[in-house]
Amino acid sequence: LDSKCYKEGYPGRWVDEWWYIPEALMRWQPAPTAIFAPDAEIRVPEDFESVKLALKNMTEGQSLHVTSGEYRMDEACELGDHPQGVYPAHTRVELRTLKLRGAVGARSWARMVFGRYSQGHVSDMTLLLNTRNSYKGTVEVHGGPWVFQQSVVRCAGGIALKCESEANVTCTKSQLGGFAWPIGPNSASEGVHARDDCNVILDGCTVDMTGRLGGVGVYARDRSKVSMLGCTLKNNDHAVGFDDAVTVLVYNCTIKSNRNEAFYGGERSFFFSYFV
């Protein structure tokens, strides 16, 4: 009568031969599945009630459309291969290519981890996270190319967009940062954090409401490359920070209403700025 073992999901070989038959039959009955075309556009909540369920059931070649509403996941959702291996608490998704489109008012509260050998395109979507960990990102990218177009990525307490490893990310006409200004618990620590060998392009984006625990609007370190074209950086503790052997390009940007300096950098970094 190993009811407890069944509920906690232990493999059958770990439990006794005596079973509570009604519960066993219910537990091992296959869940009903829906069949979609290989190139179908999966819709939330019409086809699946949550973004999490949709991602877990999608296959390569399918796309995801999220209609207006609030969607929440308690754990992180991970695509591709994480450099540090599989983290048991993350929800693993078999996809390596994701095309995600949101309708007006579509807001997903979850941490998204896009590992190596993953790629995708996110448009018109709002991605949000509330965390007490100042180094945790709403979106964490290790691969690419990834494109975020006319999207909103915000974090209360952590980093909006965290790019590591060999991430290749382009953000176009998007908003990155926190929820509140002046700086408080609902501000982001950083809007964009680039490290390792990643390449990040921000085109026509707004980075704002950052600086919790002394963070930066856009911060580059290690050997990363960051380009900001026609962006607005406002309401940050520090606007742009760079260190180590990075390359940072700032062109035709507006930097205003920040609490401290517009730029600060390390000795070995290459930095070029041009304002019109």
Side-chain angles (χ1 to χ4, degrees):
L1 301 179
D2 262 302
S3 171
K4 184 175 185 297
C5 293
Y6 269 123
K7 290 178 180 178
E8 293 184 359
Y10 291 104
R13 63 181 181 277
W14 290 8
V15 297
D16 298 334
E17 295 180 358
W18 298 94
W19 308 109
Y20 180 48
I21 301 303
E23 184 174 354
L25 293 175
M26 290 178 61
R27 183 169 182 85
W28 295 109
Q29 182 178 3
T33 58
I35 299 176
F36 298 95
D39 60 347
E41 181 181 71
I42 309 301
R43 300 178 66 87
V44 174
E46 288 85 347
D47 298 321
F48 294 97
E49 64 180 10
S50 68
V51 175
K52 173 184 173 180
L53 285 176
L55 290 174
K56 289 185 67 174
N57 287 276
M58 288 173 61
T59 59
E60 290 290 335
Q62 295 176 340
S63 59
L64 179 60
H65 179 230
V66 181
T67 57
S68 177
E70 300 270 340
Y71 306 92
R72 295 180 180 269
M73 282 188 281
D74 294 330
E75 67 276 9
C77 192
E78 182 176 327
L79 287 73
D81 300 333
H82 197 285
Q84 299 176 359
V86 176
Y87 189 63
H90 291 179
T91 297
R92 288 283 301 156
V93 177
E94 298 302 323
L95 290 175
R96 291 188 180 273
T97 303
L98 173 64
K99 186 176 181 181
L100 171 60
R101 179 171 63 92
V104 176
R107 292 156 53 97
S108 175
W109 291 82
R111 180 172 174 234
M112 307 293 289
V113 180
F114 300 143
R116 288 174 172 169
Y117 314 116
S118 68
Q119 60 182 343
H121 186 279
V122 179
S123 62
D124 303 306
M125 190 68 194
T126 298
L127 304 173
L128 309 170
L129 179 68
N130 191 345
T131 179
R132 295 183 179 181
N133 188 335
S134 63
Y135 199 62
K136 185 176 289 186
T138 303
V139 177
E140 179 180 320
V141 184
H142 296 268
W146 281 94
V147 177
F148 297 86
Q149 184 175 12
Q150 294 182 329
S151 295
V152 178
V153 183
R154 297 199 175 276
C155 187
I159 301 169
L161 176 61
K162 185 178 179 182
C163 303
E164 299 184 348
S165 307
E166 300 172 356
N168 182 357
V169 180
T170 300
C171 297
T172 304
K173 297 181 180 178
S174 296
Q175 301 176 34
L176 308 154
F179 290 87
W181 183 264
I183 297 172
N186 291 327
S187 302
S189 58
E190 294 173 339
V192 178
H193 182 100
R195 58 172 296 178
D196 300 326
D197 296 290
C198 68
N199 182 39
V200 180
I201 298 175
L202 306 177
D203 185 2
C205 295
T206 298
V207 180
D208 59 358
M209 294 184 282
T210 73
R212 182 174 178 267
L213 301 181
V216 186
V218 177
Y219 180 59
R221 55 174 287 194
D222 299 326
R223 300 160 301 279
S224 59
K225 298 179 181 178
V226 178
S227 301
M228 290 171 276
L229 314 172
C231 296
T232 299
L233 292 90
K234 62 180 182 179
N235 297 341
N236 303 288
D237 192 5
H238 315 272
V240 180
F242 47 95
D243 208 346
D244 304 319
V246 304
T247 300
V248 177
L249 168 67
V250 179
Y251 177 79
N252 196 23
C253 292
T254 300
I255 300 178
K256 63 179 182 179
S257 303
N258 298 288
R259 192 167 73 167
N260 289 302
E261 64 271 16
F263 306 104
Y264 79 90
E267 295 180 354
R268 294 182 297 161
S269 302
F270 175 76
F271 174 77
F272 172 76
S273 63
Y274 179 76
F275 298 90
V276 175

